[in-house]
Amino acid sequence: MAKIIIRVPATSANVGSGMDSVGIALHMYYTVIVEEETDHWKVNHALGSDIPTDERNLIVQTVLKVDPDIHPHQLTVISDVPIAHGLGSSTTAVVAGIKIANALGSLELPLDDQITMGAKFETHPENVAAAMLGGLAVSTFDGKHAIATKLELPDLYALVYIRPDGLSEAQSRKKLPQTIAYQTAVRASSKENVFIALVGQGKFDKAVSLIEDDQFHEPYRKALVPEMAVIKETAHELGIYSTYLSGAGPTVATLGEKSALTQLRIELQEKNLNGSLRLLEVDEQGATVRGE
């Protein structure tokens, strides 16, 4: 069998007030090489001792959920996506597993079905949709079916601030309230609706300022990432209004043109924040599968 190579982009979710609905794919990748058949699943990686190397690995678990009859293989993982940092690390493994099962089982699953499967495994659709479709993906999931679409973007980049310490989604979700005020929800939803409408019309320059001031999760999680206030303040001084908490955190993302974000990175580097800064282009292709 020829090798199969799966490449899945990192994703930044909760863009604006698009909680569990709006995500964006980035040029940071999780690559899985499917090699020879083996007696037992073996996953080679350098991601740390906490990540299983056998059938307990999330990739393999996903493969077997899609098709339990898939024969074990040796897999090699090469990843640039930090684990538990709000850049879709678990999603990359899930999407890779779906793509592997689809290829090895010759299932020919429609992309919509693949996104629904991923949403079921993840329990929310935004990272899966962005990783599958690329670009800015808008999605919804009712527990049974996911609906997702992709919006065209200009030549867009993201400056991501990545803290060295990770944060599990379970930890971060504990910070969220069970309810929020009705008017707060209406105001946040209306801003996101206009953001999506403007992006759909190709007016990203007008839409971008609506990314900030989320009311669904940032007010409750911002204490976990005190650097976000510094990043926003510095960006505002440069006329950039597009900073948000990526996913469940602790990564902070700012969207914009490359030149503006390059200057922002220079300004932030002088502040000696406790983390790294990466300037990433938006990935428009989404997850890919190729043979060798």
Side-chain angles (χ1 to χ4, degrees), residues 92-258:
T92 56
V94 167
V95 169
I98 293 170
K99 294 293 187 182
I100 290 169
N102 191 47
L104 292 181
S106 300
L107 303 179
E108 298 184 359
L109 294 169
L111 190 55
D112 287 348
D113 289 355
Q114 294 180 42
I115 293 172
T116 290
M117 284 182 176
K120 287 180 178 178
F121 300 155
E122 290 268 278
T123 72
H124 46 92
E126 75 288 357
N127 291 104
V128 171
M132 290 279 193
L133 298 173
L136 183 74
V138 185
S139 56
T140 186
F141 179 54
D142 63 6
K144 295 182 180 179
H145 302 285
I147 301 174
T149 191
K150 173 183 175 180
L151 297 179
E152 295 300 320
L153 294 171
D155 186 17
L156 194 64
Y157 283 75
L159 179 65
V160 294
Y161 165 73
I162 306 172
R163 294 190 70 182
D165 52 326
L167 180 69
S168 74
E169 185 175 350
Q171 288 176 305
S172 187
R173 283 198 176 262
K174 287 181 181 179
K175 297 291 184 179
L176 300 179
Q178 294 298 309
T179 60
I180 60 174
Y182 179 80
Q183 288 300 328
T184 299
V186 170
R187 185 169 65 252
S189 296
S190 67
K191 288 184 69 173
E192 190 71 4
N193 292 341
V194 177
F195 169 72
I196 294 301
L198 287 171
V199 174
Q201 294 172 359
K203 300 176 181 177
F204 190 84
D205 56 334
K206 293 184 178 181
V208 68
S209 64
L210 295 169
I211 288 174
E212 294 192 4
D213 193 32
D214 162 72
Q215 296 298 309
F216 289 134
H217 79 121
E218 282 190 12
Y220 313 103
R221 289 168 164 167
K222 62 183 180 181
L224 299 172
V225 194
E227 297 90 343
M228 184 163 67
V230 176
I231 295 169
K232 277 190 177 182
E233 180 182 357
T234 306
H236 290 177
E237 291 172 355
L238 296 172
I240 304 169
Y241 295 86
S242 58
T243 298
Y244 63 97
L245 185 64
S246 178
T251 290
V252 177
T254 305
L255 301 180
E257 296 179 352
K258 185 177 183 179

Side-chain angles (χ1 to χ4, degrees), residues 30 41-61 75 77 83 93:
Y30 182 93
W41 287 98
K42 183 178 181 181
V43 184
N44 305 308
H45 64 75
L47 302 176
S49 58
D50 291 340
I51 307 299
T53 58
D54 54 19
E55 68 278 356
R56 296 171 298 161
N57 188 281
L58 183 56
I59 304 170
V60 179
Q61 290 182 343
L75 310 176
V77 177
I83 297 171

